[in-house]
Amino acid sequence: MSQQQEPKYEGWAALAEDSIEGKLEWQEYKPKPFADDDVEMKIMYCGVCASDLHTMSGGWGRVDYPQVVGHEILGEVIRVGSKVTHVKVGDIAGVGAQSDSCLECGQCRKNREPYCDQGQTGTYAGTYKRDGPGKGAKSYGGYANYHRAPGHFVVKIPDGLDHALAAPMLCGGVTVYSPLTQYGAGKEAKDVGIVGIGGLGHFGLLFAKALGANVTAISHSESKKADAEKMGATRFIATHSGKEDDFKPYARSLDLIICTTNDESMPILGYLSLLRPGGNLILVGAPEKPLPPLPAFPFIMGNVHIGGSAIGSPKLIQEMLELAAKQGVKSWIEKRDIKDANQTVRDMKASKARYRYVLVNTANGGKL
Amino acid sequence: MSQQQEPKYEGWAALAEDSIEGKLEWQEYKPKPFADDDVEMKIMYCGVCASDLHTMSGGWGRVDYPQVVGHEILGEVIRVGSKVTHVKVGDIAGVGAQSDSCLECGQCRKNREPYCDQGQTGTYAGTYKRDGPGKGAKSYGGYANYHRAPGHFVVKIPDGLDHALAAPMLCGGVTVYSPLTQYGAGKEAKDVGIVGIGGLGHFGLLFAKALGANVTAISHSESKKADAEKMGATRFIATHSGKEDDFKPYARSLDLIICTTNDESMPILGYLSLLRPGGNLILVGAPEKPLPPLPAFPFIMGNVHIGGSAIGSPKLIQEMLELAAKQGVKSWIEKRDIKDANQTVRDMKASKARYRYVLVNTANGGKL
């Protein structure tokens, strides 16, 4: 297999901070050298994640341009290294936001690869660090025609799951699925709140319900109330209603809150007041500025916690996809031809997504 | 029993904010009316807690003067209500920082009385809310000759525990013991850090060790290093050493940190960097001002948590005292005659305690 012809990699490249204005350029690039534990696929679908925009604009920190973003990648496997056994050529497979880690530390051994002691390599804007032919190479994402990644981070898409709907679960879905399961949604955490009804938040509602929790949607206005109810919310809290205290009627009624907003003016003390003692408020959206000021007393008197959670391991992605297939969890997406990536980025920036854009590569078998 | 003569209650009363300068006045006061689930004791020992000073000065909020503070109360039982079965006249018993709660809500039923849905009644500066003769009465603490409290919050002191050493465990001890056990010190949390080597912190070191954890003391300087090692610390981190990054060599080496400082300029992001993914930083000291600004990224990338914990239930106090008796855990205290309460308050304010003052009432059998 190692002698086979290299496909020609082309994708939408971010060349500078203003790429977020829809100035990506389609160009050829060189993927990491193929290693014997790698998987290569032709990309059929790629979800559009808020992280893509934070990265292309440098909002989360300096970026080494050019970058090809996109980390909800789904396609058909066209090549596997000699050490890869869990997928084969012709399979439909996916890659989420993580492309590599040391695979040896305590975190990696516990299927907690996103928290690798050596730091993770993102699916884009990262650098491969493990020994092998890829060492030192940059990672490139899925607004492209092909993708190559270490096999450990490639999951097989289960039968019965629509491929376009599965793509955005690979990052957006697992980013909420991971804390939902870590903190016991539907088990010890019966009552779950989801802050923010966007790309991540809509997955929060869908998966909290699929896990058997009673679901409360928490949003600044009531504009998405009907949608949230269709996604599984049985209660809706509008936090900017103008009433004296929007939170008071709901005090101590939740065990777990997944906070997907990246609005740094979020009423975080109000969210904490919704938690029962022992409860957790888990941040998965990352504001670029610090959180609002926090006094110690609400933590002490309420035994409540603020924590955070990053994406999810390949094992967790697999588990989530199987649950989605079994329960018929359906992402709310809008498909866009990959040719229209720049318009899609502009629409995403304008918060028009309802609730996730998926780029479709019809040349590779994707269906619009 | 209900016809017996009322003892004459006298104690050190805080009459205004400046009582923290050592201006308490010894005077008579009226305790809550005796209820059939109450216990009355003559006070032999009362520990001096930082909360006493925050309360007498109004630093944690407006106070209804006069107040008699003190909530580490140990003495001989002289009267029990008809419904009390777990202690009898002549027993040595203790009362911590909580005097009452609804006893009916989900938290109370789970032995989580400090987090009662109806709010707890503190041993001082509180108001009794349950139906009965005490409803509406103010609570008064232990810088006094007698104490009366609902029996549910009175624990029997186990044999084999020195009474003076037991007193400060009733609040200071259980305030750290509660989160140490809640977050698995010595079990899933093998490596435990204690921030601040003061009244609470010294108990943190003693009980973390007693629970079988590997203990790290974290302090701004090395001045208390020798003491911390005697208390059980096997590692010491000085956080204001002037070195570029005091935390770096210890990154991701702890599972749990109990933060006892109330210094609002604490390097809280440094503390978080010491936690392994999944770890908890639990606040038990309460700064009067908000915490330093917190960005979301360290939470998300590290899966770490900030939480808080308040005192401990009577059940937990009992468990802690039994562990202390069994393992010979010894509080580091300085005894002071209760007559010298004002000088003791001044010394406490000047952070001279090494590590807990205990007021002794020799007239009631306390031994200096």
Side-chain angles (χ1 to χ4, degrees), chain B residues 269-349:
Chain B
L269 289 172
Y271 302 155
L272 287 177
S273 75
L274 300 177
L275 288 173
R276 297 195 178 103
N280 288 285
L281 170 69
I282 304 301
L283 306 168
V284 295
E288 293 180 1
K289 291 183 191 159
L291 301 172
L294 289 165
F297 260 110
F299 292 97
I300 294 173
M301 302 316 286
N303 189 221
V304 293
H305 311 77
I306 289 182
S309 178
I311 56 172
S313 69
K315 190 180 174 205
L316 217 50
I317 294 175
Q318 196 76 55
E319 179 188 308
M320 167 195 67
L321 294 175
E322 278 156 22
L323 180 76
K326 193 174 148 196
Q327 297 216 7
V329 175
K330 289 194 174 22
S331 319
W332 289 33
I333 65 167
E334 254 181 82
K335 292 182 187 176
R336 296 285 181 94
D337 195 309
I338 191 167
K339 296 187 182 106
D340 301 325
N342 274 319
Q343 184 57 46
T344 307
V345 166
R346 283 191 288 268
D347 290 345
M348 182 78 177
K349 182 165 179 263

Side-chain angles (χ1 to χ4, degrees), chain A residues 169-230:
Chain A
M169 292 181 188
L170 296 165
C171 169
V174 82
T175 294
V176 294
Y177 183 81
S178 173
L180 284 170
T181 52
Q182 181 176 348
Y183 301 94
K187 294 180 179 167
E188 57 273 27
K190 284 277 175 228
D191 297 298
V192 173
I194 305 292
V195 172
I197 318 301
L200 290 176
H202 105 283
F203 278 127
L205 298 171
L206 293 168
F207 280 111
K209 187 188 173 191
L211 289 164
N214 306 315
V215 188
T216 297
I218 303 163
S219 187
H220 62 291
S221 79
E222 297 218 340
S223 69
K224 293 175 181 168
K225 187 175 177 181
D227 282 359
E229 287 172 352
K230 284 181 203 151

